[in-house]
Amino acid sequence: WNFENKLFLLQAERHYAFGEMDHAAEKYKLAQESSKKHRFLHEEALACELAANFHEKAGNVKFVAELIDRAVNCFQTWGAEGKVESLLLSP
């Protein structure tokens, strides 16, 4: 077990904060992949949720629905029903 997925997610958020959108998008993707590979379900859900927010604000709306669906699925499987409800009620 490792912290690779967390590092990728922190890097993604940093790149996003500094306006480095291409680097941010790549790090969000790596965070999702690493979380899934290492079976960190709740962290995969978080990576998907944050990536969806990033893509929505960046104008890449084609990715948003798929990422939210993945986040909802992961959170639901993990048992976080309140979080699922929150995501489903968000505009």
Side-chain angles (χ1 to χ4, degrees):
W1 303 99
N2 61 54
F3 296 97
E4 177 184 74
N5 63 306
K6 294 172 185 68
L7 175 62
F8 288 144
L9 192 54
L10 287 171
Q11 289 173 335
E13 291 286 295
R14 182 185 179 282
H15 286 302
Y16 180 32
F18 284 98
E20 301 164 347
M21 305 308 248
D22 290 338
H23 292 297
E26 179 62 23
K27 294 296 181 174
Y28 281 118
K29 182 179 177 186
L30 290 172
Q32 293 165 51
E33 292 170 354
S34 178
S35 297
K36 185 173 186 162
K37 175 183 173 184
H38 297 288
R39 294 176 278 151
F40 295 128
L41 191 60
H42 60 296
E43 293 175 7
E44 180 183 355
L46 179 61
C48 290
E49 179 185 7
L50 292 175
N53 291 336
F54 161 76
H55 283 294
E56 182 176 47
K57 290 177 184 168
N60 302 324
V61 294
K62 64 183 179 180
F63 299 115
V64 175
E66 177 186 341
L67 287 166
I68 291 295
D69 286 346
R70 281 184 58 198
V72 165
N73 185 32
C74 289
F75 278 126
Q76 200 162 40
T77 302
W78 191 52
E81 293 302 324
K83 184 62 176 177
V84 169
E85 186 177 324
S86 174
L87 284 173
L88 294 176
L89 293 176
S90 294

